[in-house]
Coordinates of all heavy atoms in Angstrom, one line a residue:
S361 N -9.7 -45.6 35.4 CA -11.0 -45.4 35.1 C -11.4 -45.8 33.8 O -12.4 -46.5 33.5 CB -11.4 -43.9 35.3 OG -11.2 -43.5 36.5
L362 N -10.4 -45.7 32.8 CA -10.7 -46.1 31.4 C -10.7 -47.6 31.4 O -11.4 -48.2 30.5 CB -9.5 -45.6 30.6 CG -9.5 -44.2 30.3 CD1 -8.3 -43.8 29.3 CD2 -10.8 -43.7 29.7
K363 N -9.9 -48.3 32.2 CA -10.0 -49.8 32.2 C -11.3 -50.3 32.5 O -11.6 -51.6 32.2 CB -8.9 -50.3 33.1 CG -7.5 -50.1 32.7 CD -6.5 -50.6 33.6 CE -6.5 -52.0 33.8 NZ -5.4 -52.4 34.7
K364 N -12.3 -49.5 33.2 CA -13.6 -50.0 33.5 C -14.5 -50.0 32.4 O -15.7 -50.4 32.4 CB -14.1 -49.2 34.7 CG -13.3 -49.3 35.9 CD -13.8 -48.3 37.0 CE -12.8 -48.4 38.3 NZ -13.4 -47.5 39.3
I365 N -14.1 -49.3 31.3 CA -15.0 -49.1 30.1 C -14.8 -50.2 29.1 O -13.6 -50.5 28.8 CB -14.8 -47.7 29.5 CG1 -15.1 -46.6 30.6 CG2 -15.7 -47.5 28.4 CD1 -14.5 -45.2 30.1
K366 N -15.8 -50.8 28.7 CA -15.7 -51.9 27.6 C -16.7 -51.7 26.6 O -17.6 -50.7 26.6 CB -15.8 -53.2 28.3 CG -15.3 -54.4 27.5 CD -13.8 -54.1 27.2 CE -13.3 -55.2 26.3 NZ -11.9 -54.8 25.8
N367 N -16.6 -52.5 25.4 CA -17.6 -52.4 24.4 C -17.4 -51.1 23.5 O -18.3 -50.6 22.9 CB -19.0 -52.5 24.8 CG -19.3 -53.9 25.4 OD1 -18.6 -54.9 25.0 ND2 -20.2 -54.0 26.2
K368 N -16.2 -50.4 23.6 CA -15.9 -49.3 22.9 C -14.6 -49.3 22.3 O -13.6 -49.9 22.9 CB -16.1 -48.1 23.8 CG -17.5 -47.9 24.4 CD -17.6 -46.7 25.3 CE -18.9 -46.7 26.1 NZ -20.1 -46.8 25.3
I369 N -14.4 -48.6 21.3 CA -13.1 -48.3 20.7 C -12.5 -47.0 21.5 O -13.3 -45.9 21.4 CB -13.0 -48.0 19.3 CG1 -13.5 -49.3 18.4 CG2 -11.7 -47.6 18.8 CD1 -13.7 -49.0 17.0
I370 N -11.5 -47.1 22.2 CA -11.0 -45.9 22.9 C -9.7 -45.6 22.3 O -8.7 -46.4 22.4 CB -10.8 -46.2 24.5 CG1 -12.1 -46.9 25.2 CG2 -10.3 -45.1 25.3 CD1 -12.0 -47.2 26.5
I371 N -9.5 -44.3 22.0 CA -8.2 -43.7 21.3 C -7.9 -42.6 22.2 O -8.6 -41.6 22.3 CB -8.5 -43.4 20.0 CG1 -8.9 -44.5 19.1 CG2 -7.2 -42.8 19.4 CD1 -9.3 -44.2 17.7
L372 N -6.7 -42.8 22.9 CA -6.2 -41.7 23.7 C -4.9 -41.1 23.2 O -4.0 -41.9 22.8 CB -6.0 -42.3 25.2 CG -5.4 -41.3 26.3 CD1 -6.0 -41.8 27.6 CD2 -3.9 -41.2 26.3
V373 N -4.9 -39.8 23.0 CA -3.6 -39.1 22.6 C -2.9 -38.5 23.7 O -3.6 -37.9 24.6 CB -4.2 -38.0 21.6 CG1 -3.0 -37.1 21.3 CG2 -4.5 -38.7 20.3
T374 N -1.7 -38.8 23.8 CA -0.9 -38.2 24.8 C 0.6 -38.2 24.5 O 1.0 -38.7 23.4 CB -1.0 -39.2 26.0 OG1 -0.2 -38.7 27.1 CG2 -0.4 -40.6 25.7
H375 N 1.4 -37.3 25.2 CA 2.8 -37.3 25.1 C 3.5 -38.1 26.2 O 4.7 -38.0 26.3 CB 3.2 -35.9 24.9 CG 2.9 -35.1 26.2 ND1 1.8 -34.4 26.4 CD2 3.8 -34.8 27.3 CE1 1.8 -33.8 27.6 NE2 3.1 -34.0 28.1
K376 N 2.7 -38.5 27.2 CA 3.4 -39.2 28.3 C 3.6 -40.7 28.0 O 3.0 -41.3 27.2 CB 2.4 -39.1 29.5 CG 2.2 -37.7 30.0 CD 1.3 -37.6 31.3 CE 1.1 -36.3 31.8 NZ 0.2 -36.2 33.0
D377 N 4.6 -41.3 28.8 CA 5.0 -42.7 28.7 C 4.3 -43.6 29.7 O 4.6 -44.8 29.8 CB 6.5 -42.8 28.8 CG 7.3 -42.1 27.6 OD1 6.7 -42.0 26.5 OD2 8.4 -41.5 27.9
L378 N 3.5 -42.9 30.5 CA 2.9 -43.7 31.6 C 2.0 -44.8 31.3 O 1.7 -45.8 32.1 CB 2.1 -42.8 32.6 CG 2.9 -41.8 33.4 CD1 2.0 -40.7 34.0 CD2 3.8 -42.4 34.4
F379 N 1.3 -44.7 30.1 CA 0.3 -45.6 29.8 C 0.7 -46.7 28.9 O -0.3 -47.3 28.3 CB -0.9 -44.7 29.2 CG -1.1 -43.5 29.9 CD1 -1.3 -42.3 29.3 CD2 -1.4 -43.4 31.3 CE1 -1.6 -41.1 29.9 CE2 -1.7 -42.4 32.0 CZ -1.8 -41.1 31.3
D380 N 1.8 -46.9 28.5 CA 2.4 -47.8 27.5 C 1.8 -49.3 27.8 O 1.5 -50.0 26.8 CB 3.9 -47.9 27.4 CG 4.4 -46.5 26.7 OD1 3.5 -45.6 26.5 OD2 5.5 -46.4 26.6
E381 N 1.7 -49.6 29.1 CA 1.4 -51.0 29.4 C 0.0 -51.3 29.4 O -0.6 -52.3 29.6 CB 2.0 -51.4 30.7 CG 1.5 -50.6 31.9 CD 2.2 -50.9 33.1 OE1 3.4 -50.6 33.4 OE2 1.5 -51.7 34.0
Y382 N -0.9 -50.2 29.2 CA -2.3 -50.2 29.5 C -3.1 -50.5 28.1 O -4.3 -50.8 28.1 CB -2.9 -49.0 30.0 CG -2.5 -48.8 31.6 CD1 -1.4 -48.1 31.8 CD2 -3.3 -49.5 32.5 CE1 -1.0 -48.1 33.3 CE2 -2.8 -49.4 33.8 CZ -1.8 -48.7 34.2 OH -1.3 -48.5 35.5
G383 N -2.4 -50.2 27.0 CA -3.2 -50.3 25.6 C -2.2 -50.5 24.5 O -1.0 -50.8 24.7
N384 N -2.8 -50.5 23.3 CA -2.1 -50.7 22.1 C -1.5 -49.4 21.7 O -2.2 -48.3 21.4 CB -3.1 -51.2 21.0 CG -3.8 -52.4 21.5 OD1 -3.2 -53.4 21.6 ND2 -5.1 -52.2 21.6
V385 N -0.1 -49.3 21.6 CA 0.5 -48.1 21.5 C 0.9 -47.8 20.1 O 1.5 -48.8 19.5 CB 1.9 -48.0 22.4 CG1 2.6 -46.6 22.2 CG2 1.5 -48.2 23.9
L386 N 0.6 -46.5 19.6 CA 0.9 -46.1 18.3 C 1.7 -44.9 18.3 O 1.3 -44.0 19.2 CB -0.2 -46.0 17.4 CG -1.1 -47.2 17.0 CD1 -2.3 -47.5 18.1 CD2 -1.7 -47.2 15.7
K387 N 2.7 -44.7 17.7 CA 3.5 -43.4 17.7 C 3.2 -42.6 16.4 O 3.3 -43.1 15.3 CB 5.0 -43.8 17.7 CG 5.8 -42.6 17.9 CD 7.3 -42.9 18.2 CE 8.2 -41.7 18.4 NZ 9.6 -42.1 18.5
L388 N 2.9 -41.3 16.5 CA 2.7 -40.4 15.5 C 3.8 -39.3 15.5 O 4.1 -38.8 16.4 CB 1.3 -39.6 15.7 CG 1.0 -38.7 14.6 CD1 0.6 -39.5 13.3 CD2 -0.3 -37.8 15.0
D389 N 4.6 -39.6 14.5 CA 5.8 -38.8 14.2 C 5.6 -37.8 13.0 O 6.0 -38.2 12.0 CB 7.1 -39.7 14.1 CG 8.3 -38.9 14.3 OD1 8.3 -37.7 14.5 OD2 9.4 -39.6 13.9
Y390 N 5.2 -36.6 13.3 CA 5.1 -35.6 12.3 C 4.4 -36.2 11.1 O 4.9 -36.1 9.9 CB 6.4 -34.9 11.9 CG 6.9 -34.2 13.2 CD1 7.9 -34.7 14.0 CD2 6.4 -32.9 13.4 CE1 8.3 -34.0 15.2 CE2 6.9 -32.2 14.5 CZ 7.8 -32.7 15.4 OH 8.2 -32.0 16.5
G391 N 3.2 -36.6 11.3 CA 2.3 -37.1 10.1 C 2.3 -38.6 9.9 O 1.6 -39.2 9.2
K392 N 3.5 -39.3 10.4 CA 3.7 -40.8 10.1 C 3.2 -41.5 11.4 O 3.5 -41.2 12.4 CB 5.1 -41.2 9.8 CG 5.6 -40.5 8.5 CD 5.1 -41.2 7.3 CE 5.8 -40.6 6.0 NZ 5.1 -41.3 4.8
L393 N 2.2 -42.5 11.2 CA 1.7 -43.3 12.2 C 2.3 -44.7 12.1 O 2.1 -45.4 11.1 CB 0.2 -43.3 12.3 CG -0.5 -44.0 13.4 CD1 -0.3 -43.3 14.8 CD2 -2.0 -44.1 13.2
E394 N 2.9 -45.2 13.2 CA 3.3 -46.6 13.3 C 3.0 -47.2 14.6 O 3.0 -46.6 15.7 CB 4.9 -46.6 13.0 CG 5.6 -45.8 14.0 CD 7.1 -45.8 13.7 OE1 7.6 -45.7 12.4 OE2 7.9 -46.1 14.4
Q395 N 2.6 -48.4 14.4 CA 2.3 -49.3 15.7 C 3.5 -49.7 16.3 O 4.5 -50.4 15.7 CB 1.3 -50.3 15.3 CG 0.8 -51.2 16.5 CD -0.4 -52.0 16.0 OE1 -1.0 -51.8 15.0 NE2 -0.6 -53.1 16.7
T396 N 3.6 -49.7 17.7 CA 4.7 -50.1 18.4 C 4.5 -51.3 19.3 O 5.3 -52.0 19.8 CB 5.4 -49.1 19.3 OG1 4.4 -48.6 20.2 CG2 5.8 -47.9 18.4
K397 N 3.2 -51.6 19.7 CA 2.9 -52.7 20.6 C 1.6 -53.5 20.0 O 0.8 -52.9 19.2 CB 2.5 -52.2 21.9 CG 3.8 -51.5 22.6 CD 3.4 -51.2 24.1 CE 3.6 -52.5 24.9 NZ 3.4 -52.3 26.4
E398 N 1.6 -54.7 20.3 CA 0.4 -55.6 19.9 C -0.8 -55.1 20.6 O -0.7 -54.6 21.7 CB 0.7 -57.0 20.1 CG 1.8 -57.6 19.3 CD 1.5 -57.5 17.8 OE1 0.4 -57.7 17.5 OE2 2.5 -57.2 17.1

Side-chain angles (χ1 to χ4, degrees):
S361 298
L362 288 183
K363 291 174 66 177
K364 299 175 183 179
I365 301 170
K366 201 54 185 172
N367 296 333
K368 301 181 189 303
I369 300 174
I370 304 175
I371 302 175
L372 184 149
V373 164
T374 183
H375 63 275
K376 295 182 177 181
D377 297 324
L378 290 173
F379 315 129
D380 291 6
E381 62 183 77
Y382 291 94
N384 308 290
V385 180
L386 296 90
K387 185 176 182 181
L388 186 61
D389 187 9
Y390 294 100
K392 297 287 187 179
L393 184 68
E394 57 184 47
Q395 188 168 333
T396 61
K397 295 188 74 172
E398 295 297 322

